[in-house]
């Protein structure tokens, strides 16, 4: 009887972990969503794309993450569906909980490599405390705009 209960407990824990993992975005999803956001900008233009990117119920908000958009020349947030208060803000000097100027790194990554991953600390949606986050940065081809999406560790 104890063995059966032990097996059931292990199965429940494993199934719970799988359910939790299913609710967490993957690095590949972040890359795919950023490329889709870039394609949207190219297809419909920036102004129309920003309406979609800023929609908290739209296709660029999923699981536990979202795509945001930054003007690389001014380090200004153009789209942020979770924290719209950031839209229009120049965040070049913003530091994470460890003092890292991650917007500088976003822009350098986009300018130098066109795409890449940046590690920093940022609060999960709905939380005030920072958590480790990896964000994929993708430069919209031919523009000084980047789109980005990240996963929490």
């Amino acid at each position: 009887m104890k063995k059966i209960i032990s097996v059931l407990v292990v199965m429940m824990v494993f199934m719970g972990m799988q359910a939790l993992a299913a609710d967490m975005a993957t690095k590949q999803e972040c890359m795919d969503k950023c490329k889709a956001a870039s394609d949207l900008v190219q297809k419909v233009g920036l102004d129309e794309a920003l309406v979609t990117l800023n929609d908290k119920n739209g296709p660029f908000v999923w699981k536990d993450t979202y795509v945001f958009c930054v003007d690389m020349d001014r380090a200004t947030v153009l789209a942020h569906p979770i924290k719209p208060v950031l839209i229009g803000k120049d965040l070049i000097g913003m530091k994470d909980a460890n003092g890292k100027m991650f917007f500088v790194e976003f822009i350098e990554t986009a300018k130098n490599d066109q795409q890449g991953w940046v590690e920093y600390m940022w609060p999960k949606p709905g939380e005030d405390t920072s958590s480790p986050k990896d964000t994929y940065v993708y430069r919209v081809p031919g523009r000084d705009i980047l789109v980005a999406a990240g996963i929490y560790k």
Side-chain angles (χ1 to χ4, degrees):
M1 183 69 156
K2 286 184 179 180
K3 285 185 179 182
I4 292 172
I5 292 173
S6 296
V7 168
L8 288 174
V9 168
V10 169
M11 287 176 55
M12 289 173 50
V13 168
F14 181 72
M15 289 180 354
M17 289 172 51
Q18 284 184 318
L20 180 61
D23 291 331
M24 296 173 64
T26 66
K27 283 191 169 189
Q28 188 61 54
E29 287 173 331
C30 290
M31 294 167 63
D32 292 345
K33 290 282 189 175
C34 285
K35 289 177 182 171
S38 173
D39 291 346
L40 181 66
V41 170
Q42 300 287 47
K43 181 180 178 183
V44 302
L46 181 61
D47 290 339
E48 192 172 330
L50 289 177
V51 172
T52 302
L53 291 172
N54 278 313
D55 182 356
K56 68 179 179 179
N57 298 311
F60 295 100
V61 178
W62 77 105
K63 295 183 180 176
D64 64 338
T65 196
Y66 50 88
V67 173
F68 61 97
C69 181
V70 175
D71 178 316
M72 294 166 32
D73 286 333
R74 300 177 304 175
T76 303
V77 176
L78 300 175
H80 200 297
I82 304 303
K83 289 192 177 183
V85 69
L86 296 177
I87 297 169
K89 304 278 186 192
D90 174 349
L91 299 179
I92 196 72
M94 180 177 259
K95 296 178 183 178
D96 73 0
N98 295 328
K100 184 175 189 172
M101 295 178 65
F102 57 97
F103 267 84
V104 170
E105 195 166 334
F106 289 164
I107 292 169
E108 287 176 357
T109 299
K111 283 185 177 180
N112 297 332
D113 302 324
Q114 309 305 304
Q115 62 184 321
W117 290 92
V118 176
E119 295 179 22
Y120 62 105
M121 300 291 288
W122 189 253
K124 293 178 182 178
E127 294 185 9
D128 294 326
T129 306
S130 293
S131 297
K133 186 172 185 180
D134 285 342
T135 291
Y136 179 70
V137 175
Y138 185 81
R139 184 176 187 165
V140 177
R143 296 181 179 247
D144 287 333
I145 296 167
L146 66 85
V147 289
I151 60 167
Y152 295 94
K153 297 179 187 183

